[in-house]
Amino acid sequence: MSLATDKLDDKPTLYKQIRRDIETRILTGEWPPGHRIPFEHQLMARYRCSRMTVNKALSELAQADLIERRRRAGTFVRRPQHLSAVLKIADIRAEITALGRGYGYQLVQCTRRTASAADRARLGVRKTGKVIAITCRHSADNVPFALEDRLIDLEAVPEAAHADFAAEPPGSWLLHHVPWTEAEHTISAVVADDRTAEALGIAVGAPCLVIDRYTWRSARTLTAVRLLYPGDSHRLVARFKGG
């Protein structure tokens, strides 16, 4: 190894730079799930560093569940695994389009703020950080389809600070840019209050189908969302086969 390489490798932040560069490529979607990460010797040449430095960066990315290292095969961007076979995380825009209906989207409110106690409780985090709170409405053929209330943890998804949620629905953006490792759905029913009734064009007290969803990466909550649908026009169907 050359003296110049030794000096570069002595920098305590070099492995962090490698990790940050790879993480950015993954989170922006440049390297999608299943993409092969360059081999260690390629990363060594690119960053002019030792194998130990590259290995440290890759090990931290693996611990964060962003990549998976397969013996004799290489290193790959990790694919979401948990619950995907049980209940798919649907892109509402794609869902409406697949029905042959015209999709419409309206951003009602988007606020960046320091997380309140209620925000922290909803996201399951203890320390104070920044969040984006979004309320938006999806429509099909100009008829209200769903009301979305979402929190995004900016500590976990810093790229969201630069997303244009007035132009792109947050659910679509997250599915295309942010890998997740675990998700949870809770399905319930409520009656529409004044705000929900006005947003969905239904009567106060009308039934609504509710889906509360949480997504995580390596035990860190990425986003929490509540979706409300008019109860008389929506249903959930799951079909299973025996083992």
Side-chain angles (χ1 to χ4, degrees), residues 33-234:
H35 177 85
R36 182 196 291 274
I37 305 296
F39 290 107
E40 288 190 3
H41 70 272
Q42 294 173 315
L43 293 173
M44 290 166 59
R46 177 181 300 179
Y47 292 98
R48 300 173 59 202
C49 66
S50 69
R51 185 179 296 273
M52 182 180 297
T53 299
V54 169
N55 187 66
K56 186 173 183 180
L58 294 178
S59 294
E60 289 196 0
L61 289 165
Q63 290 173 4
D65 287 330
L66 286 173
I67 64 173
E68 55 181 332
R69 308 178 81 176
R70 305 174 193 168
R71 189 175 182 181
R72 299 181 180 178
T75 303
F76 300 84
V77 178
R78 190 176 182 88
R79 295 180 184 276
Q81 295 179 341
H82 302 278
L83 293 185
S84 58
V86 178
L87 187 57
K88 181 181 179 182
I89 294 183
D91 181 343
I92 294 179
R93 178 171 60 185
E95 180 183 356
I96 292 174
T97 302
L99 293 172
R101 303 174 69 182
Y103 175 74
Y105 168 73
Q106 178 188 9
L107 179 64
V108 178
Q109 186 175 22
C110 183
T111 305
R112 179 176 176 177
R113 66 185 185 226
T114 299
S116 65
D119 294 336
R120 295 195 301 273
R122 185 177 176 190
L123 291 169
V125 297
R126 295 183 178 180
K127 65 177 183 178
T128 300
K130 297 289 186 179
V131 298
I132 295 181
I134 300 169
T135 301
C136 56
R137 180 171 57 187
H138 308 270
S139 61
D141 293 338
N142 297 317
V143 177
F145 186 86
L147 181 65
E148 177 176 337
D149 176 20
R150 183 183 295 272
L151 271 183
I152 300 176
D153 185 351
L154 282 175
E155 297 292 321
V157 192
E159 294 77 12
H162 307 293
D164 183 2
F165 294 122
E168 183 172 13
S172 302
W173 183 88
L174 286 161
L175 283 172
H176 288 90
H177 292 88
V178 182
W180 52 274
T181 57
E182 189 173 357
E184 176 183 290
H185 289 84
T186 300
I187 301 167
S188 60
V190 299
V191 295
D193 57 16
D194 291 346
R195 169 179 169 271
T196 303
E198 181 179 0
L200 293 178
I202 57 179
V204 174
C208 293
L209 173 70
V210 181
I211 298 178
D212 288 297
R213 179 192 303 139
Y214 297 85
T215 52
W216 295 272
R217 182 173 65 236
S218 190
R220 177 77 192 219
T221 308
L222 303 174
T223 181
V225 61
R226 166 165 279 205
L227 299 166
L228 295 101
Y229 300 85
D232 61 353
S233 59
H234 289 78

Side-chain angles (χ1 to χ4, degrees), residues 1-18 47-50 52-54 56:
M1 185 181 295
S2 69
L3 180 61
T5 301
D6 285 337
K7 288 182 178 179
L8 280 174
D9 224 13
D10 284 342
K11 293 182 179 180
T13 58
L14 182 56
Y15 87 91
K16 293 182 180 179
Q17 178 191 335
I18 298 171
Y47 292 98
R48 300 173 59 202
C49 66
S50 69
M52 182 180 297
T53 299
V54 169
K56 186 173 183 180

